[in-house]
Amino acid sequence: MGQELPTSSWKSEEELIAALRRQEDDAYEYLVRTYSGRLLVVAKRFLGQDQDAQDAVQDAFLSAFKAVGDFEGNSKLSTWLHRIVVNACLMKLRTRKRKREKTVEELLPHFVADGHRDQVEPSWAVTFDTAVQSRETREVVRQRIEELPESYRTVLLLRDIEELSTEETAARLDLSVSAVKTRLHRARQALKALLDPHMNSGY
């Protein structure tokens, strides 16, 4: 059965999808009103800038409207839209001019010749899983992810936030599986180093 859609003219997703296929204006308006907020959150994770994120969401809706006739209903409408907006974000990342960023080496922890860190690794006051349950800490994590170089941030977002497989991530980014694994490992290391001062201070 389809997902219930309260406060709408449609009793199920199937009815809404049928209305979209009939190109009914109120169905389009309902889709945008219902899903634009959550899709914008996804787009901002990838693109950061408000205007770029808004453009990606607009592109995603246009793509969805054109492709709704091919939507087979094998997933929820929200899942399908989510996948489309991620693709729109990746397209924007490929075409926009890169800004000057720190290299990932600047963010990684440093090690001495014997393989140990040159500074004592801070112990976190809480576990990562416990920390991200805090709204304040989630915001810190989001901000630190934005500090990662784009090519590493994108891999981390696709694997750890969007929960794509390594193979799916490689296909989306036109990378080898080994390159995805390497970037993901380094992105996680860099993110932990960026978070160490906050987690150590008891967030």
Side-chain angles (χ1 to χ4, degrees), residues 38-116:
R38 68 189 78 175
L39 295 183
L40 187 60
V41 169
V42 174
K44 284 183 177 180
R45 281 204 294 262
F46 282 90
L47 301 171
Q49 302 173 24
D50 285 348
Q51 188 57 57
D52 281 352
Q54 291 169 7
D55 289 346
V57 171
Q58 185 176 28
D59 291 346
F61 276 121
L62 289 174
S63 297
F65 296 157
K66 291 176 182 177
V68 70
D70 299 322
F71 179 58
E72 297 178 352
N74 296 327
S75 62
K76 289 184 178 181
L77 192 58
S78 58
T79 303
W80 181 65
L81 290 170
H82 186 280
R83 189 159 54 241
I84 291 173
V85 80
V86 168
N87 286 338
C89 291
L90 295 180
M91 287 292 292
K92 275 207 165 294
L93 288 174
R94 291 189 189 103
T95 58
R96 79 179 184 182
K97 186 177 180 180
R98 294 283 182 90
K99 63 180 181 179
R100 171 70 179 95
E101 298 177 307
K102 287 185 177 180
T103 65
V104 74
E105 286 75 18
E106 294 176 79
L107 301 175
L108 290 171
H110 298 287
F111 297 87
V112 293
D114 65 0
H116 290 85

Coordinates of all heavy atoms in Angstrom, one line a residue, residues 38-116:
R38 N 13.0 19.3 2.6 CA 13.9 18.2 2.9 C 14.9 18.0 1.8 O 16.1 17.7 2.1 CB 13.2 16.9 3.2 CG 12.4 16.3 2.1 CD 11.5 15.1 2.5 NE 10.3 15.6 3.1 CZ 9.3 14.8 3.4 NH1 9.4 13.5 3.3 NH2 8.2 15.3 3.9
L39 N 14.5 18.3 0.6 CA 15.5 18.2 -0.5 C 16.5 19.3 -0.5 O 17.7 19.1 -0.8 CB 14.7 18.2 -1.9 CG 13.8 17.1 -2.2 CD1 13.2 17.2 -3.6 CD2 14.5 15.7 -2.0
L40 N 16.1 20.5 0.0 CA 17.0 21.6 0.1 C 18.1 21.3 1.2 O 19.3 21.6 1.0 CB 16.3 22.9 0.5 CG 17.1 24.2 0.5 CD1 17.7 24.4 -0.8 CD2 16.2 25.3 0.9
V41 N 17.7 20.6 2.2 CA 18.7 20.2 3.3 C 19.7 19.3 2.7 O 20.9 19.4 2.9 CB 17.9 19.5 4.4 CG1 18.9 18.8 5.4 CG2 17.1 20.5 5.2
V42 N 19.3 18.3 1.8 CA 20.2 17.4 1.2 C 21.2 18.2 0.3 O 22.4 18.0 0.3 CB 19.5 16.4 0.4 CG1 20.4 15.5 -0.5 CG2 18.6 15.5 1.3
A43 N 20.6 19.1 -0.5 CA 21.4 19.9 -1.5 C 22.4 20.7 -0.8 O 23.6 20.9 -1.2 CB 20.5 20.7 -2.4
K44 N 22.1 21.3 0.3 CA 23.0 22.2 1.1 C 24.2 21.4 1.6 O 25.3 21.9 1.8 CB 22.3 22.9 2.2 CG 21.4 24.1 1.7 CD 20.8 24.8 2.9 CE 20.0 26.0 2.5 NZ 19.4 26.8 3.6
R45 N 23.9 20.1 2.0 CA 25.0 19.2 2.4 C 26.1 19.1 1.4 O 27.3 19.1 1.7 CB 24.5 17.9 2.8 CG 23.8 17.8 4.2 CD 23.9 16.4 4.8 NE 23.1 15.5 4.0 CZ 21.9 15.1 4.3 NH1 21.3 15.6 5.4 NH2 21.2 14.2 3.6
F46 N 25.7 19.0 0.1 CA 26.6 18.8 -1.0 C 27.2 20.1 -1.5 O 28.4 20.2 -1.8 CB 25.9 18.0 -2.1 CG 25.8 16.6 -1.9 CD1 24.7 16.1 -1.3 CD2 26.8 15.7 -2.3 CE1 24.5 14.7 -1.1 CE2 26.7 14.3 -2.1 CZ 25.5 13.8 -1.5
L47 N 26.4 21.1 -1.6 CA 26.8 22.4 -2.3 C 27.1 23.5 -1.4 O 27.7 24.5 -1.8 CB 25.6 22.7 -3.3 CG 25.3 21.7 -4.3 CD1 24.1 22.1 -5.1 CD2 26.5 21.5 -5.3
G48 N 26.5 23.5 -0.1 CA 26.8 24.6 0.8 C 26.1 25.9 0.5 O 25.3 26.3 1.3
Q49 N 26.4 26.5 -0.7 CA 25.8 27.8 -1.0 C 24.3 27.7 -1.2 O 23.8 26.8 -1.9 CB 26.5 28.3 -2.2 CG 28.0 28.5 -2.1 CD 28.6 28.9 -3.4 OE1 28.0 29.4 -4.3 NE2 29.9 28.5 -3.6
D50 N 23.6 28.6 -0.6 CA 22.1 28.6 -0.7 C 21.6 28.6 -2.2 O 20.7 27.9 -2.5 CB 21.5 29.8 0.0 CG 21.6 29.5 1.6 OD1 21.8 28.4 2.0 OD2 21.3 30.5 2.3
Q51 N 22.2 29.5 -3.0 CA 21.7 29.6 -4.4 C 21.9 28.4 -5.2 O 21.1 27.9 -5.9 CB 22.3 30.8 -5.0 CG 21.7 31.2 -6.4 CD 20.2 31.4 -6.3 OE1 19.8 32.3 -5.6 NE2 19.4 30.7 -7.0
D52 N 23.1 27.8 -5.0 CA 23.4 26.6 -5.7 C 22.5 25.4 -5.3 O 22.0 24.6 -6.1 CB 24.9 26.1 -5.5 CG 25.9 26.9 -6.3 OD1 25.4 27.7 -7.2 OD2 27.1 26.8 -6.1
A53 N 22.2 25.4 -4.0 CA 21.4 24.3 -3.5 C 19.9 24.5 -4.0 O 19.3 23.5 -4.4 CB 21.4 24.3 -1.9
Q54 N 19.5 25.7 -4.0 CA 18.1 26.0 -4.5 C 18.0 25.7 -6.0 O 17.0 25.1 -6.4 CB 17.7 27.5 -4.3 CG 17.5 27.8 -2.8 CD 17.4 29.3 -2.5 OE1 17.4 30.1 -3.5 NE2 17.4 29.7 -1.3
D55 N 19.1 26.0 -6.7 CA 19.1 25.7 -8.2 C 19.0 24.1 -8.4 O 18.3 23.6 -9.3 CB 20.3 26.2 -8.8 CG 20.3 27.8 -8.9 OD1 19.2 28.3 -8.7 OD2 21.3 28.4 -9.2
A56 N 19.8 23.4 -7.5 CA 19.8 22.0 -7.7 C 18.4 21.4 -7.4 O 18.0 20.4 -8.0 CB 20.8 21.4 -6.7
V57 N 17.7 21.9 -6.4 CA 16.4 21.4 -6.0 C 15.4 21.7 -7.2 O 14.6 20.8 -7.6 CB 15.9 22.0 -4.7 CG1 14.4 21.7 -4.5 CG2 16.7 21.5 -3.5
Q58 N 15.5 22.9 -7.7 CA 14.7 23.2 -8.9 C 15.0 22.3 -10.1 O 14.0 21.8 -10.7 CB 14.9 24.7 -9.3 CG 14.0 25.1 -10.4 CD 14.2 26.6 -10.7 OE1 15.3 27.2 -10.5 NE2 13.1 27.3 -11.2
D59 N 16.2 22.0 -10.3 CA 16.6 21.1 -11.4 C 16.0 19.7 -11.1 O 15.6 19.0 -12.0 CB 18.1 21.0 -11.5 CG 18.7 22.3 -12.1 OD1 18.0 23.1 -12.6 OD2 20.0 22.4 -12.0
A60 N 16.1 19.3 -9.8 CA 15.6 18.0 -9.5 C 14.1 17.8 -9.7 O 13.6 16.8 -10.2 CB 15.9 17.7 -8.0
F61 N 13.4 18.9 -9.3 CA 11.9 18.8 -9.6 C 11.6 18.8 -11.1 O 10.7 18.0 -11.5 CB 11.2 20.0 -8.9 CG 10.9 19.8 -7.5 CD1 11.4 20.7 -6.5 CD2 10.1 18.8 -7.0 CE1 11.2 20.5 -5.1 CE2 9.8 18.6 -5.7 CZ 10.4 19.4 -4.7
L62 N 12.3 19.6 -11.9 CA 12.1 19.5 -13.3 C 12.4 18.2 -13.9 O 11.6 17.6 -14.7 CB 13.0 20.6 -14.0 CG 12.6 22.0 -13.7 CD1 13.6 23.0 -14.3 CD2 11.2 22.4 -14.3
S63 N 13.5 17.5 -13.4 CA 13.8 16.2 -13.8 C 12.7 15.2 -13.4 O 12.3 14.3 -14.2 CB 15.1 15.7 -13.3 OG 16.2 16.6 -13.8
A64 N 12.2 15.4 -12.2 CA 11.2 14.5 -11.7 C 9.9 14.6 -12.5 O 9.2 13.6 -12.8 CB 10.9 14.7 -10.2
F65 N 9.5 15.8 -12.8 CA 8.3 16.0 -13.5 C 8.4 15.4 -14.9 O 7.4 14.8 -15.4 CB 8.0 17.5 -13.7 CG 7.7 18.2 -12.4 CD1 7.9 19.6 -12.3 CD2 7.2 17.5 -11.3 CE1 7.6 20.3 -11.1 CE2 7.0 18.2 -10.1 CZ 7.2 19.6 -10.0
K66 N 9.6 15.5 -15.5 CA 9.7 14.9 -16.8 C 9.8 13.3 -16.8 O 9.3 12.7 -17.7 CB 11.0 15.4 -17.5 CG 11.0 16.8 -17.8 CD 12.4 17.3 -18.4 CE 12.4 18.8 -18.7 NZ 13.8 19.2 -19.2
A67 N 10.3 12.8 -15.7 CA 10.5 11.4 -15.6 C 9.4 10.6 -14.8 O 9.5 9.4 -14.7 CB 11.8 11.1 -14.9
V68 N 8.4 11.3 -14.3 CA 7.4 10.7 -13.5 C 6.6 9.5 -14.2 O 6.2 8.6 -13.6 CB 6.4 11.7 -12.9 CG1 5.5 12.2 -14.0 CG2 5.6 11.1 -11.7
G69 N 6.5 9.6 -15.5 CA 5.9 8.6 -16.3 C 6.7 7.3 -16.2 O 6.1 6.2 -16.4
D70 N 8.0 7.4 -15.9 CA 8.8 6.2 -15.9 C 9.0 5.6 -14.4 O 9.6 4.6 -14.2 CB 10.2 6.5 -16.4 CG 10.2 6.9 -17.9 OD1 9.3 6.3 -18.6 OD2 10.9 7.8 -18.3
F71 N 8.4 6.4 -13.5 CA 8.5 6.0 -12.1 C 7.7 4.7 -11.8 O 6.5 4.7 -12.0 CB 8.1 7.1 -11.1 CG 8.1 6.7 -9.7 CD1 9.3 6.3 -9.1 CD2 7.0 6.8 -8.9 CE1 9.4 6.0 -7.7 CE2 7.0 6.5 -7.5 CZ 8.2 6.1 -7.0
E72 N 8.3 3.6 -11.4 CA 7.6 2.3 -11.3 C 7.1 2.1 -10.0 O 6.4 1.0 -9.8 CB 8.6 1.2 -11.8 CG 9.0 1.3 -13.2 CD 10.0 0.2 -13.6 OE1 10.4 -0.5 -12.7 OE2 10.3 0.1 -14.8
G73 N 7.3 2.9 -9.0 CA 6.8 2.7 -7.7 C 7.5 1.7 -6.9 O 7.0 1.1 -5.9
N74 N 8.8 1.3 -7.3 CA 9.5 0.3 -6.5 C 10.1 0.9 -5.2 O 10.6 0.1 -4.4 CB 10.6 -0.3 -7.4 CG 10.1 -1.0 -8.6 OD1 9.1 -1.6 -8.5 ND2 10.8 -0.9 -9.7
S75 N 10.1 2.2 -5.1 CA 10.5 2.8 -3.8 C 9.5 3.9 -3.5 O 8.6 4.2 -4.3 CB 11.9 3.4 -4.0 OG 11.9 4.4 -5.0
K76 N 9.6 4.5 -2.3 CA 8.8 5.6 -2.0 C 9.1 6.8 -2.9 O 10.2 7.0 -3.3 CB 9.0 6.0 -0.5 CG 8.4 5.0 0.5 CD 8.6 5.5 1.9 CE 7.9 4.5 2.9 NZ 8.1 5.0 4.3
L77 N 8.1 7.7 -3.0 CA 8.3 8.9 -3.8 C 9.4 9.7 -3.2 O 10.3 10.3 -4.0 CB 7.0 9.6 -3.9 CG 6.9 10.8 -4.9 CD1 7.1 10.3 -6.3 CD2 5.5 11.5 -4.8
S78 N 9.5 9.8 -1.9 CA 10.5 10.6 -1.3 C 11.9 10.0 -1.6 O 12.9 10.8 -1.8 CB 10.3 10.6 0.2 OG 10.3 9.3 0.8
T79 N 12.1 8.7 -1.6 CA 13.4 8.1 -1.9 C 13.8 8.4 -3.4 O 14.9 8.7 -3.6 CB 13.3 6.6 -1.7 OG1 12.9 6.3 -0.4 CG2 14.6 5.9 -2.0
W80 N 12.8 8.3 -4.3 CA 13.1 8.6 -5.7 C 13.5 10.1 -5.9 O 14.5 10.3 -6.5 CB 11.8 8.3 -6.5 CG 11.9 8.5 -7.9 CD1 12.7 7.8 -8.8 CD2 11.1 9.5 -8.7 NE1 12.4 8.3 -10.1 CE2 11.5 9.3 -10.1 CE3 10.2 10.4 -8.4 CZ2 11.0 10.0 -11.1 CZ3 9.6 11.2 -9.4 CH2 10.0 11.0 -10.8
L81 N 12.8 11.0 -5.2 CA 13.2 12.4 -5.3 C 14.5 12.7 -4.7 O 15.3 13.5 -5.2 CB 12.1 13.3 -4.6 CG 10.8 13.4 -5.3 CD1 9.7 14.0 -4.3 CD2 10.9 14.1 -6.6
H82 N 14.8 12.0 -3.6 CA 16.1 12.1 -2.9 C 17.2 11.7 -3.9 O 18.3 12.4 -4.0 CB 16.1 11.2 -1.7 CG 17.3 11.4 -0.8 ND1 18.5 10.8 -1.1 CD2 17.5 12.1 0.3 CE1 19.4 11.1 -0.2 NE2 18.8 11.9 0.7
R83 N 17.1 10.6 -4.6 CA 18.1 10.2 -5.5 C 18.3 11.2 -6.6 O 19.4 11.4 -7.1 CB 17.6 8.8 -6.1 CG 18.7 8.1 -6.9 CD 18.4 6.6 -7.0 NE 17.1 6.3 -7.5 CZ 16.1 5.7 -6.8 NH1 16.3 5.3 -5.6 NH2 14.9 5.5 -7.3
I84 N 17.2 11.8 -7.1 CA 17.3 12.7 -8.2 C 18.0 14.0 -7.7 O 18.8 14.6 -8.5 CB 15.9 13.1 -8.7 CG1 15.2 11.9 -9.4 CG2 15.9 14.3 -9.7 CD1 13.8 12.1 -9.8
V85 N 17.7 14.5 -6.5 CA 18.4 15.7 -6.1 C 19.9 15.5 -5.8 O 20.7 16.3 -6.1 CB 17.7 16.3 -4.8 CG1 18.1 15.6 -3.5 CG2 18.0 17.8 -4.7
V86 N 20.2 14.3 -5.3 CA 21.7 14.0 -5.2 C 22.4 14.0 -6.5 O 23.5 14.6 -6.7 CB 21.9 12.6 -4.5 CG1 23.3 12.1 -4.6 CG2 21.4 12.7 -3.0
N87 N 21.7 13.4 -7.6 CA 22.3 13.5 -8.9 C 22.4 14.9 -9.4 O 23.4 15.3 -10.0 CB 21.4 12.7 -9.9 CG 21.6 11.2 -9.7 OD1 22.5 10.7 -9.2 ND2 20.6 10.4 -10.1
A88 N 21.4 15.7 -9.1 CA 21.5 17.1 -9.5 C 22.6 17.9 -8.8 O 23.3 18.7 -9.5 CB 20.2 17.8 -9.2
C89 N 22.9 17.5 -7.6 CA 24.0 18.1 -6.8 C 25.3 17.7 -7.4 O 26.3 18.5 -7.6 CB 23.9 17.7 -5.4 SG 22.6 18.5 -4.5
L90 N 25.5 16.4 -7.8 CA 26.7 15.9 -8.4 C 27.0 16.6 -9.7 O 28.1 16.9 -10.0 CB 26.7 14.4 -8.5 CG 26.6 13.6 -7.2 CD1 26.5 12.1 -7.5 CD2 27.7 13.9 -6.3
M91 N 25.9 16.8 -10.5 CA 26.1 17.5 -11.8 C 26.6 18.9 -11.5 O 27.5 19.4 -12.3 CB 24.7 17.6 -12.5 CG 24.3 16.2 -13.1 SD 25.4 15.7 -14.4 CE 24.9 16.9 -15.7
K92 N 26.1 19.6 -10.5 CA 26.5 21.0 -10.2 C 28.0 21.0 -9.8 O 28.7 21.9 -10.1 CB 25.6 21.6 -9.2 CG 24.4 22.3 -9.8 CD 23.9 23.4 -8.9 CE 22.8 24.2 -9.6 NZ 23.4 25.0 -10.7
L93 N 28.3 20.0 -9.0 CA 29.7 20.0 -8.5 C 30.7 19.8 -9.7 O 31.8 20.3 -9.6 CB 29.9 18.8 -7.5 CG 29.2 19.1 -6.1 CD1 29.3 17.8 -5.3 CD2 29.9 20.2 -5.4
R94 N 30.3 19.0 -10.7 CA 31.1 18.8 -11.8 C 31.4 20.1 -12.7 O 32.4 20.2 -13.3 CB 30.5 17.7 -12.7 CG 30.6 16.3 -12.1 CD 30.2 15.3 -13.2 NE 30.0 14.0 -12.5 CZ 28.8 13.4 -12.3 NH1 27.7 14.1 -12.6 NH2 28.7 12.3 -11.7
T95 N 30.4 20.9 -12.7 CA 30.4 22.1 -13.6 C 30.9 23.4 -12.9 O 31.3 24.3 -13.6 CB 29.0 22.3 -14.2 OG1 28.1 22.5 -13.2 CG2 28.6 21.1 -15.1
R96 N 30.7 23.5 -11.6 CA 31.1 24.8 -11.0 C 32.5 24.9 -10.8 O 33.3 24.0 -10.6 CB 30.3 25.0 -9.7 CG 30.8 24.3 -8.5 CD 29.9 24.6 -7.3 NE 30.4 24.0 -6.1 CZ 29.8 24.2 -4.9 NH1 28.7 24.8 -4.8 NH2 30.3 23.7 -3.8
K97 N 33.0 26.2 -10.8 CA 34.4 26.5 -10.6 C 34.8 26.2 -9.2 O 34.2 26.5 -8.2 CB 34.7 28.0 -10.9 CG 36.1 28.4 -10.9 CD 36.3 29.8 -11.3 CE 37.7 30.2 -11.3 NZ 37.9 31.7 -11.6
R98 N 35.9 25.5 -9.1 CA 36.5 25.1 -7.8 C 37.0 26.3 -7.0 O 37.8 27.1 -7.6 CB 37.6 24.0 -7.9 CG 37.1 22.7 -8.4 CD 36.4 21.9 -7.4 NE 35.9 20.6 -7.9 CZ 36.7 19.5 -7.8 NH1 37.9 19.5 -7.3 NH2 36.2 18.3 -8.2
K99 N 36.7 26.4 -5.8 CA 37.3 27.5 -5.0 C 38.5 26.9 -4.3 O 38.7 25.7 -4.1 CB 36.3 28.0 -3.9 CG 35.9 26.9 -2.9 CD 34.9 27.5 -1.9 CE 34.4 26.5 -0.9 NZ 33.5 27.0 0.1
R100 N 39.4 27.8 -3.8 CA 40.6 27.4 -3.1 C 40.2 26.7 -1.8 O 39.5 27.3 -1.0 CB 41.5 28.6 -2.8 CG 42.7 28.4 -1.9 CD 43.7 27.5 -2.6 NE 44.9 27.3 -1.7 CZ 45.0 26.2 -0.9 NH1 44.1 25.3 -0.8 NH2 46.1 26.1 -0.1
E101 N 40.7 25.5 -1.6 CA 40.4 24.8 -0.4 C 41.7 24.3 0.3 O 42.7 24.2 -0.4 CB 39.5 23.6 -0.7 CG 38.2 23.9 -1.3 CD 37.4 22.6 -1.6 OE1 38.0 21.7 -2.3 OE2 36.3 22.4 -1.2
K102 N 41.6 24.0 1.5 CA 42.7 23.3 2.2 C 42.9 21.9 1.5 O 41.9 21.3 1.1 CB 42.4 23.1 3.7 CG 42.6 24.3 4.5 CD 42.4 24.0 6.0 CE 42.6 25.2 6.8 NZ 42.4 24.9 8.3
T103 N 44.1 21.4 1.5 CA 44.3 20.0 1.0 C 43.9 19.1 2.2 O 44.0 19.5 3.3 CB 45.7 19.8 0.6 OG1 46.6 19.9 1.7 CG2 46.2 20.8 -0.5
V104 N 43.6 17.9 1.8 CA 43.2 16.9 2.9 C 44.4 16.7 3.8 O 44.3 16.4 5.0 CB 42.7 15.6 2.3 CG1 43.8 14.8 1.7 CG2 41.9 14.8 3.4
E105 N 45.7 16.8 3.2 CA 46.9 16.6 4.0 C 47.0 17.6 5.2 O 47.5 17.3 6.3 CB 48.1 16.6 3.2 CG 48.4 15.4 2.3 CD 47.4 15.4 1.1 OE1 46.8 16.4 0.7 OE2 47.3 14.3 0.5
E106 N 46.5 18.8 4.9 CA 46.5 19.8 6.0 C 45.6 19.5 7.1 O 45.8 20.0 8.2 CB 46.1 21.2 5.4 CG 47.1 21.7 4.4 CD 46.6 23.0 3.8 OE1 46.7 24.1 4.4 OE2 46.1 23.0 2.6
L107 N 44.6 18.7 6.9 CA 43.6 18.4 7.9 C 43.9 17.0 8.6 O 43.4 16.8 9.7 CB 42.2 18.3 7.2 CG 41.7 19.5 6.5 CD1 40.4 19.3 5.8 CD2 41.6 20.7 7.5
L108 N 44.7 16.2 8.0 CA 44.9 14.9 8.6 C 45.8 15.0 9.8 O 46.6 15.9 9.9 CB 45.6 13.9 7.5 CG 44.7 13.5 6.4 CD1 45.6 12.8 5.3 CD2 43.6 12.6 6.8
P109 N 45.7 14.0 10.7 CA 46.6 14.0 11.9 C 48.0 13.7 11.4 O 48.2 13.1 10.3 CB 46.1 12.9 12.8 CG 45.2 12.0 11.8 CD 44.7 13.0 10.8
H110 N 49.0 14.2 12.1 CA 50.4 14.1 11.6 C 51.1 13.0 12.5 O 50.8 12.8 13.7 CB 51.2 15.4 11.8 CG 50.6 16.5 10.9 ND1 50.8 16.5 9.5 CD2 49.9 17.6 11.2 CE1 50.2 17.6 9.0 NE2 49.6 18.2 10.0
F111 N 51.9 12.2 11.8 CA 52.6 11.1 12.5 C 54.1 11.3 12.4 O 54.6 11.8 11.4 CB 52.2 9.8 11.8 CG 50.7 9.5 11.9 CD1 49.8 10.0 11.0 CD2 50.2 8.7 13.0 CE1 48.5 9.7 11.1 CE2 48.9 8.4 13.1 CZ 48.0 8.9 12.1
V112 N 54.8 10.8 13.4 CA 56.3 10.8 13.4 C 56.8 9.5 12.8 O 56.0 8.6 12.4 CB 56.8 11.0 14.8 CG1 56.4 12.4 15.4 CG2 56.3 9.9 15.8
A113 N 58.1 9.4 12.7 CA 58.8 8.3 12.0 C 58.4 6.9 12.5 O 58.3 6.0 11.7 CB 60.3 8.5 12.0
D114 N 58.1 6.8 13.8 CA 57.8 5.5 14.4 C 56.3 5.1 14.2 O 55.9 4.0 14.6 CB 58.1 5.4 15.8 CG 57.3 6.3 16.7 OD1 56.5 7.1 16.2 OD2 57.5 6.3 17.9
G115 N 55.5 6.0 13.5 CA 54.2 5.6 13.2 C 53.1 6.2 14.2 O 51.9 6.0 13.9
H116 N 53.6 6.8 15.3 CA 52.7 7.4 16.2 C 52.4 8.8 15.9 O 53.1 9.5 15.2 CB 53.3 7.3 17.6 CG 53.4 5.9 18.2 ND1 54.5 5.1 17.9 CD2 52.6 5.2 19.0 CE1 54.3 3.9 18.5 NE2 53.1 3.9 19.1

